[in-house]
């Protein structure tokens, strides 16, 4: 099984419009794990936009205003909702791209939706019905991460909570499944299984190499396997890839062990675009 033709989820307007479809060229969701500061956000956004413009790949810029599920209380969480929304608004004015961020509560949906183009449901919250319904009712596109505890076919019920609430603009995101302690595995069968449900499928290449809680007080990761898994997923056929990137991931406040170094991003994307072209021509 490979690519399944399906509906298109489109975000942004004009030249910045980005389409996600399992049957169309690959698009990208990319940015640092958390929003660290205004200056850092603009630096990362400008660098990533320059890379994607040169390669001709659609970009949705990603960053989290609050990392609410840190391993320990000592983990840094981001700059907060109010400050982040101001930065997201200014980033969109400066660079024109659509933006994505996580939401964690029902109340945040209405606050975030006027500024952000894609609401992301974290994996641990993917079955929280009231949250999903509130997100759906904003009318914004949704990227919902498959819980590490769910089988791919279980995502049909998650998808239905959005569509039955009046919002068909749903993307289903694979980010690995729990396998024993501190370990995730990526089952590539999940990609065509979820694609058959009719939604664009996203592969989260960086969270799939996490080692949850693997460093005791923080999450570990195996950055060296990001390209391996991303190539495999794109060869199967997906609408987009989710890649967190940072100019100095080893000193990033969160998810450093699995983020791609900014300097390595262009070559990785070139490789994935080549795989994508082969996969979708053969399909």
């Amino acid at each position: 099984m490979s690519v399944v033709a399906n509906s298109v989820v489109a975000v942004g307007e004009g030249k910045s419009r980005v389409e996600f479809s399992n049957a169309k060229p690959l698009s990208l969701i990319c940015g640092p794990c958390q929003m660290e500061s205004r200056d850092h956000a603009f630096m990362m956004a400008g660098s990533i936009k320059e890379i994607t413009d040169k390669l001709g790949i659609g970009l949705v810029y990603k960053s989290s205003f609050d990392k609410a599920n840190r391993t320990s209380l000592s983990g840094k969480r981001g700059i907060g909702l109010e400050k982040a929304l101001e930065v997201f608004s200014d980033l969109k004015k400066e660079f024109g791209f659509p933006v994505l961020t996580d939401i964690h509560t029902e109340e945040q949906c209405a606050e975030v939706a006027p500024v952000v183009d894609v609401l992301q449901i974290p994996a641990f919250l993917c079955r929280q019905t009231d949250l999903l319904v509130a997100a759906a009712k904003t009318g914004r596109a949704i990227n919902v991460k498959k819980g590490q505890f769910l089988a791919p076919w279980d995502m049909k019920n998650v998808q239905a909570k959005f569509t039955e609430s009046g919002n068909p603009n749903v993307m289903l995101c694979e980010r690995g499944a729990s396998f024993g302690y501190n370990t995730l595995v990526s089952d590539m069968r999940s990609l065509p299984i979820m694609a058959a449900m009719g939604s664009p499928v996203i592969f989260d290449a960086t969270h799939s190499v996490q080692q949850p809680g693997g460093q005791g007080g923080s999450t570990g990761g195996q950055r060296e396997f990001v390209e391996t898994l991303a190539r495999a997923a794109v060869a199967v056929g997906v609408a987009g890839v989710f890649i967190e990137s940072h100019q100095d991931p080893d000193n990033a406040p969160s998810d450093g062990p699995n983020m791609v170094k900014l300097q390595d991003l262009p070559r990785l994307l070139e490789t994935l675009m080549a795989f994508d072209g082969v996969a979708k021509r053969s399909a």
Side-chain angles (χ1 to χ4, degrees), residues 103-155:
I103 44 93
H104 307 92
T105 67
E106 299 162 55
E107 295 76 20
Q108 287 176 353
C109 295
E111 292 182 79
V112 171
V115 176
V116 172
D117 301 274
V118 184
L119 303 182
Q120 181 162 276
I121 308 295
F124 287 131
L125 299 178
C126 71
R127 289 184 59 175
Q128 295 297 106
T129 300
D130 291 342
L131 175 62
L132 305 193
V133 171
K137 289 182 176 179
T138 67
R140 286 301 195 186
I142 308 290
N143 185 43
V144 55
K145 294 197 176 185
K146 179 176 74 63
Q148 301 93 322
F149 46 85
L150 288 183
W153 43 86
D154 292 331
M155 289 299 285

Side-chain angles (χ1 to χ4, degrees), residues 11-211:
V11 294
E13 299 177 354
K15 293 181 179 179
S16 298
R17 175 183 166 97
V18 179
E19 293 187 341
F20 291 92
S21 167
N22 299 329
K24 292 193 173 187
L26 190 73
S27 293
L28 175 69
I29 299 170
C30 186
C33 176
Q34 66 174 254
M35 191 175 287
E36 301 173 25
S37 68
R38 179 185 179 86
D39 288 345
H40 185 259
F42 267 80
M43 184 278 291
M44 287 297 303
S47 298
I48 295 171
K49 182 69 160 58
E50 183 177 352
I51 292 167
T52 56
D53 281 353
K54 187 174 181 179
L55 293 175
I57 185 171
L59 170 67
V60 174
Y61 181 76
K62 176 269 167 191
S63 197
S64 298
F65 62 83
D66 179 18
K67 300 299 293 184
N69 62 342
R70 301 309 308 277
T71 302
S72 69
L73 277 174
S74 62
K76 294 182 179 179
R77 292 179 53 166
I79 68 173
L81 176 58
E82 185 175 345
K83 290 181 179 178
L85 289 181
E86 293 179 4
V87 176
F88 277 129
S89 179
D90 290 342
L91 287 172
K92 291 174 65 174
K93 292 174 184 175
E94 177 70 21
F95 299 108
F97 47 47
V99 298
L100 171 152
T101 198
D102 308 271
I103 44 93
H104 307 92
T105 67
E106 299 162 55
E107 295 76 20
Q108 287 176 353
C109 295
E111 292 182 79
V112 171
V115 176
V116 172
D117 301 274
V118 184
L119 303 182
Q120 181 162 276
I121 308 295
F124 287 131
L125 299 178
C126 71
R127 289 184 59 175
Q128 295 297 106
T129 300
D130 291 342
L131 175 62
L132 305 193
V133 171
K137 289 182 176 179
T138 67
R140 286 301 195 186
I142 308 290
N143 185 43
V144 55
K145 294 197 176 185
K146 179 176 74 63
Q148 301 93 322
F149 46 85
L150 288 183
W153 43 86
D154 292 331
M155 289 299 285
K156 185 173 184 179
N157 294 321
V158 174
Q159 179 195 51
K161 291 180 181 181
F162 295 108
T163 57
E164 292 176 15
S165 299
N167 190 339
N169 297 311
V170 182
M171 299 182 286
L172 305 178
C173 184
E174 172 60 61
R175 51 95 74 239
S178 294
F179 187 78
Y181 299 117
N182 308 128
T183 304
L184 298 174
V185 296
S186 293
D187 181 357
M188 296 301 162
R189 297 176 303 171
S190 72
L191 304 174
I193 289 170
M194 291 195 296
M197 299 173 192
S199 289
V201 173
I202 309 298
F203 183 72
D204 182 343
T206 44
H207 287 98
S208 291
V209 301
Q210 275 186 335
Q211 295 173 312

